[in-house]
Amino acid sequence: SPTVGYTMDAVYIRSGQANQNSDPDQEVLVGYSGTPFRGLLEFDISDIPASDNVDSVTLFLKTRDNAGGQGTGIQYDLYEYGFDIDETTATWAAPAVGDADATDGGTLGTLLGSVTFDSVNQSAEVTFADSAAFQTAIANALAGDGSVRLLIKATSETSGFARFADETWPDTTFRPKLTIQHTPSGPDLIAPTLVSTDPVDNELNFFAGSNLVATFSEDIALTTGGTITFTDLDDGSGDFTITLPDAQV
């Protein structure tokens, strides 16, 4: 099932103001304007059972509707970030809680995906697409403390920047959104249902030797020892059963 939303932190850090926290700004600046900006995001996904299979994951961001960034055709990269984040204290010089990350600007983890867009535009929608690495990052978070932490930076931190809305932006449709498709692990306990048949019920113009087609709500497997029973609703004289495996099926 899909899970979206999540409790989250979002903040940007800036090389030119290495000890300044930007949490009150209601935006996540990413790119370069005199000095680099990087974004830090943290999503609490602990409501998802750690045993679930992660089928897909995407991250949606949207630039502010009242102020544009700079540059066209700017590429931005999304990385897994391996340290706890506090949006109220994170800075370029100390991006992680307790100064656990000694690297200014944050230690880059696994690259999860990239997007290229015109960051000069207002209200621009950006989605970091599903990838195997992104799914693994989610699985790692579920196996850990239940929070996934991400770092966003421009590929070439030399020109252009984006102004993404943060999680407090007044219009909720602009806020960052992590969408995770996940399914329970283990056996499927929900039985398939019959969706349609060909011929349909009470079909009169059906010829001997034609195929009988049954469509189910999900894929099914033919199991050795199983049976398929056909019932003659008139008088029962035409009832018969096929025991699997059988060349007719």
Side-chain angles (χ1 to χ4, degrees):
S1 60
T3 301
V4 299
Y6 310 110
T7 302
M8 71 163 301
D9 286 347
V11 69
Y12 73 90
I13 53 178
R14 182 175 187 174
S15 173
Q17 298 170 328
N19 296 302
Q20 180 173 315
N21 174 260
S22 66
D23 185 48
D25 291 357
Q26 283 195 309
E27 64 180 348
V28 179
L29 294 176
V30 182
Y32 181 89
S33 181
T35 58
F37 307 91
R38 294 179 179 179
L40 296 172
L41 306 177
E42 179 175 287
F43 293 87
D44 179 358
I45 58 174
S46 58
D47 285 345
I48 299 175
S51 60
D52 273 16
N53 297 313
V54 179
D55 301 317
S56 69
V57 54
T58 59
L59 174 66
F60 169 87
L61 301 173
K62 193 169 184 177
T63 60
R64 291 172 45 170
D65 59 359
N66 60 357
Q70 293 179 0
T72 58
I74 307 297
Q75 180 172 309
Y76 297 89
D77 298 327
L78 180 68
Y79 292 87
E80 187 174 12
Y81 185 63
F83 299 87
D84 193 10
I85 298 167
D86 183 341
E87 65 180 357
T88 65
T89 62
T91 66
W92 185 271
V97 171
D99 204 13
D101 185 0
T103 302
D104 286 358
T107 300
L108 304 181
T110 301
L111 177 64
L112 307 181
S114 301
V115 296
T116 300
F117 77 108
D118 295 338
S119 45
V120 67
N121 293 334
Q122 299 177 26
S123 304
E125 297 183 356
V126 172
T127 298
F128 287 93
D130 179 45
S131 68
F134 210 164
Q135 292 181 29
T136 298
I138 298 301
N140 290 341
L142 292 175
D145 64 359
S147 289
V148 61
R149 299 165 180 101
L150 307 169
L151 185 152
I152 309 172
K153 66 179 290 291
T155 305
S156 175
E157 295 177 312
T158 56
S159 65
F161 67 91
R163 294 181 177 272
F164 296 113
D166 75 359
E167 86 286 6
T168 66
W169 196 255
D171 185 339
T172 58
T173 65
F174 280 68
R175 297 176 182 178
K177 181 170 65 177
L178 185 71
T179 302
I180 301 172
Q181 295 278 353
H182 56 99
T183 52
S185 60
D188 181 1
L189 301 179
I190 301 175
T193 57
L194 183 63
V195 175
S196 63
T197 60
D198 183 15
V200 298
D201 288 348
N202 300 315
E203 173 64 58
L204 298 177
N205 298 316
F206 190 68
F207 301 98
S210 298
N211 290 330
L212 300 176
V213 179
T215 302
F216 291 87
S217 59
E218 59 181 296
D219 292 340
I220 62 172
L222 301 178
T223 304
T224 299
T227 59
I228 300 175
T229 300
F230 296 85
T231 301
D232 181 350
L233 296 180
D234 288 334
D235 58 11
S237 62
D239 292 359
F240 68 97
T241 297
I242 297 175
T243 299
L244 303 174
D246 189 285
Q248 298 178 84
V249 179

